[in-house]
Amino acid sequence: MSDPITKVEPIVLRIPFDDGGKGQGITPTRWSNLDIVLVRVETGSGLVGWGEAFGYMCQNATAVAVRDLVAPAVIGRNSQDPQTVNLAAQQALALFGRYGITMFAISGLDIALWDIAGKRAGLALSRLIGPPRRDRIRAYASLVRYGDAERVAHFAAEATALGYDEVKLHEVLPATIAAGRRGAGSDARLTVDVNCQWSLEQVRAMLPVLAESNVNWLEEPTFPPEDPTPWRAIAAEGIAIAAGENACTAVEFGRLVPALDIVQPSVTKVGGVTEFVKVAQLARAAGKRLAPHSPYFGPGYWASLQLAAAIDTCEVFEFLYVRPEAWCGLDPTLPVGGAIGIPDKPGIGFEPDMSVIERYRS
């Protein structure tokens, strides 16, 4: 029996956060707010699911895409079949761009549909797509870009003192990368995310610096992020390459995975749970490590944890090392001693804190 989708509603939140830095260096303007696009989906039977569409710095565009593109394409479709609804949305909206904002919006819808599927079955998402492989996962502290050696060393040391055994830097200068290693100590794993800001020549010039700091992986070293050609040359120099946060759908990952050592799909960008699972299957078949992109504080966080529980090759969880003014979900499971417990509640486990949603609604 069909249970039709009756409502798809975007809700934009703007929640301030503190990271101890200047909020500069990666985003077009100063970054000091978590711009969260919630996607609330309701069915004819009264079930409600919650998803998250990527919204950092693009929250209004993403919300409009949810409202004006995704919702009209899926209202009336059977919520009991998330994969078919996802495909229908992709086909209906292909004219408006396969990737970027359109796929962010579809991702939020898909997460909400899987949340509904779990609630309907009375099972956590990890059990629905599983079986679960773990009930907790090792986390790494994903630091923002500070651009200041003293701050980098301070926060890397702070993170390891809290029990994280892995720290990721978003630094691009020799001095700040070296400061990260000093702060983290010799025993912690250290990774570096360049956010596509180096040329191949710059990467080669930085290889001695990365080797001296014993960097475990280099993330998105070159631009554009959809071109894996330079990565093969870099990997030949002996450093592991990670990427994927800016890739959408398993089709695009099919091109990228052969050139990667670490595969990094993002559930709020890639096409939701449906496409994420396909990417995980590609990574497993290729024998690659899976380390999802997950710097989220809304349903994307809860969904990423469920996927980490269900997928055996998901070896580590990214936790953005900032302090939000509030969480929009009740009782978030946070890192303790460098690991995160994974909830075993129906759906993705997200329960909205309506007082927070009303307070920070934009």
Side-chain angles (χ1 to χ4, degrees):
M1 184 175 177
S2 176
D3 187 11
I5 298 168
T6 57
K7 189 174 183 180
V8 178
E9 176 190 11
I11 301 171
V12 176
L13 308 179
R14 170 156 277 203
I15 300 178
F17 70 86
D18 176 50
D19 58 23
K22 299 177 181 178
Q24 299 172 340
I26 298 176
T27 53
T29 58
R30 184 174 184 271
W31 189 39
S32 57
N33 294 285
L34 299 172
D35 299 313
I36 299 171
V37 181
L38 302 176
V39 180
R40 182 185 182 276
V41 175
E42 191 170 338
T43 76
S45 68
L47 287 171
V48 173
W50 292 88
E52 181 177 351
F54 186 79
Y56 292 171
M57 311 296 285
C58 62
Q59 70 276 17
N60 294 325
T62 300
V64 168
V66 172
R67 186 193 68 201
D68 294 350
L69 297 177
V70 171
V74 302
I75 294 293
R77 290 191 175 272
N78 185 9
S79 67
Q80 294 177 312
D81 191 350
Q83 297 102 321
T84 297
V85 175
N86 187 310
L87 178 59
Q90 290 193 43
Q91 290 177 323
L93 303 179
L95 180 65
F96 307 101
R98 286 278 292 138
Y99 304 137
I101 299 295
T102 304
M103 196 55 63
F104 300 170
I106 292 174
S107 297
L109 166 76
D110 187 82
I111 294 167
L113 290 176
W114 280 104
D115 187 34
I116 288 171
K119 291 173 177 175
R120 183 182 287 116
L123 296 172
L125 176 62
S126 61
R127 297 185 182 277
L128 203 62
I129 64 175
R133 307 287 182 161
R134 57 180 67 86
D135 59 10
R136 62 192 297 101
I137 188 165
R138 182 172 65 87
Y140 70 81
S142 185
L143 308 188
V144 301
R145 182 173 298 176
Y146 298 104
D148 176 272
E150 184 176 342
R151 286 178 183 270
V152 174
H154 168 79
F155 286 106
E158 182 180 270
T160 53
L162 289 172
Y164 291 96
D165 64 3
E166 185 167 343
V167 174
K168 182 162 80 177
L169 308 178
H170 288 82
E171 304 295 331
V172 294
L173 300 174
T176 51
I177 292 172
R181 171 50 73 194
R182 279 199 314 275
S186 59
D187 294 334
R189 300 186 193 188
L190 190 72
T191 62
V192 174
D193 184 355
V194 181
N195 296 106
C196 306
Q197 293 188 0
W198 286 345
S199 66
L200 181 56
E201 292 71 25
Q202 287 173 307
V203 173
R204 285 176 169 150
M206 288 294 292
L207 285 173
V209 175
L210 301 175
E212 186 175 352
S213 292
N214 191 23
V215 170
N216 184 265
W217 81 56
L218 181 63
E219 186 172 333
E220 284 199 328
T222 56
F223 182 85
E226 65 269 24
D227 180 12
T229 306
W231 305 343
R232 297 185 179 96
I234 297 165
E237 302 283 351
I239 187 164
I241 299 298
E245 71 176 80
N246 288 310
C248 298
T249 79
V251 174
E252 190 171 14
F253 272 94
R255 296 187 302 100
L256 302 184
V257 165
L260 292 174
D261 298 287
I262 299 92
V263 182
Q264 297 178 302
S266 175
V267 72
T268 72
K269 288 182 168 184
V270 72
V273 173
T274 296
E275 292 289 340
F276 189 107
V277 170
K278 294 177 186 177
V279 172
Q281 291 168 345
L282 288 174
R284 181 185 293 108
K288 304 300 177 72
R289 297 157 62 189
L290 192 71
H293 176 256
S294 54
Y296 304 124
F297 295 85
Y301 179 82
W302 275 260
S304 295
L305 283 173
Q306 290 297 316
L307 288 161
I311 297 170
D312 57 351
T313 54
C314 185
E315 62 172 42
V316 67
F317 190 92
E318 178 179 23
F319 187 83
L320 185 61
Y321 197 72
V322 305
R323 293 170 293 277
E325 195 170 280
W327 283 75
C328 62
L330 296 170
D331 300 322
T333 304
L334 304 178
V336 176
I340 307 176
I342 302 172
D344 188 25
K345 299 177 181 178
I348 64 172
F350 174 83
E351 297 177 30
D353 186 329
M354 296 309 299
S355 64
V356 171
I357 290 173
E358 291 307 314
R359 179 181 178 186
Y360 293 99
R361 193 165 186 161
S362 176

